[in-house]
Each structure stands twice: as structure tokens, then as C-alpha cells.
Amino acid sequence: MTYKTPQIVLHWVVFGLIAWQFIGHEPIRGAFDLWMKEGVFAPSVMVVGHVAGGMLVLVLALWRLGLRRKHGVPPLPPEEGPLGRALAHLTHGVLYALMILMPVSGAVAWFGSVEAAAYAHGLLRFVMLGFVALHIVGALYHQFVLKDNLVARMTRAR
């Protein structure tokens, strides 16, 4: 079993959006600081792109969860041990939680001018980086060490 085509497409679109959010975070950070310290609202294309991108990540993450519920997910390889299974479930669960919490905390910070939400959003950024890295390392481990071709499940539907 592999993922369905919409699940695969959404995975890579969300990955691209999240990468963009990390690359383009400085302009919104500067705009937020300017707003909070001086009351000057100075949006730019990058700022609007960050806000819109974050909201899109939220919508697409919820869509992905709906597709997971509807279509399920392929089982882990039978040779995957209990620790590997637990780590895979934890990683995916935390990533989905972050794809919801980060846009929500960012929206509360930006639209509500809540500095605590901005602080939480900034901390979650590092948690997201760590779990994305863990997810990528896990995929590479499966592909090149275990050689079980697990990555093919997220690159092409059957």
C-alpha cells in the first residue's frame, strides 16, 4: 500500500510552504517588532506571504488529517521494531500538531498583537526544525540503511 495521490501532493506542497516560512521569517519578525514597539504597521509582500502561507499550512494540514482518516496510511515495514514504530508515530503526531499550533500561534500574535503568542511561535519554530530533521533522517535511514524503499510510498501512488 502507498499513499493516495492527493496525500502525496499535499505532503510535498506543505513541505514547500513550511520551508518557505523558515526562509522568509525575518521580514514578519521585523514588522511585528515595529508594530509592537512603535505602533507602525508596515506590511510587505514577504509579510503578507508569510501570513498567507501560514494559514495555508493550517488549512492543508487539516485537509491532510481528513485524508488520513478517510484513506488511512500504509503500514510500516514488518521489520520495523517497536522503538521505530513508536518514534514514527510520535514524529508524525508532533509534526501534525505543529502544523496546527504554529499557524494558530502566529495568527494570534499577528492579528491579536499578543507578544506571548509570538514568543511561543518562535519557540515552536525550533521544535518544528528538530522534528522535520528527525523526519528526514528517518526517511534517509529507511532508504539507505534499511533499504526498504519506504520513501517510494511518498513519491508515487500505485
Side-chain angles (χ1 to χ4, degrees):
M1 178 183 175
T2 65
Y3 288 94
K4 304 287 185 198
T5 299
Q7 291 172 296
I8 294 170
V9 170
L10 284 172
H11 174 274
W12 293 109
V13 168
V14 169
F15 171 76
L17 284 168
I18 290 171
W20 170 253
Q21 296 301 89
F22 279 98
I23 292 166
H25 86 279
E26 283 303 318
I28 195 155
R29 183 175 170 186
F32 184 78
D33 288 346
L34 189 63
W35 172 250
M36 294 305 291
K37 291 177 182 154
E38 299 178 28
V40 175
F41 183 62
S44 68
V45 172
M46 292 293 286
V47 168
V48 172
H50 188 87
V51 172
M55 293 299 97
L56 192 53
V57 166
L58 175 61
V59 168
L60 296 180
L62 294 172
W63 187 9
R64 286 182 66 187
L65 284 168
L67 289 174
R68 265 180 94 89
R69 185 179 176 118
K70 180 179 179 181
H71 299 296
V73 297
L76 290 169
E79 57 275 355
E80 185 75 60
L83 180 60
R85 287 180 184 282
L87 198 52
H89 291 300
L90 172 72
T91 301
H92 285 101
V94 170
L95 285 171
Y96 274 104
L98 289 167
M99 287 186 281
I100 294 167
L101 290 172
M102 288 204 63
V104 169
S105 64
V108 169
W110 183 254
F111 295 111
S113 302
V114 178
E115 287 190 66
Y119 181 76
H121 188 73
L123 288 178
L124 289 173
R125 178 175 165 242
F126 293 107
V127 176
M128 175 72 88
L129 276 172
F131 275 89
V132 166
L134 183 61
H135 184 61
I136 291 169
V137 166
L140 294 173
Y141 176 76
H142 274 275
Q143 191 67 22
F144 297 111
V145 176
L146 298 180
K147 299 180 193 280
D148 59 13
N149 205 23
L150 186 83
V151 173
R153 301 179 334 161
M154 196 46 81
T155 58
R156 62 183 173 272
R158 292 187 212 269

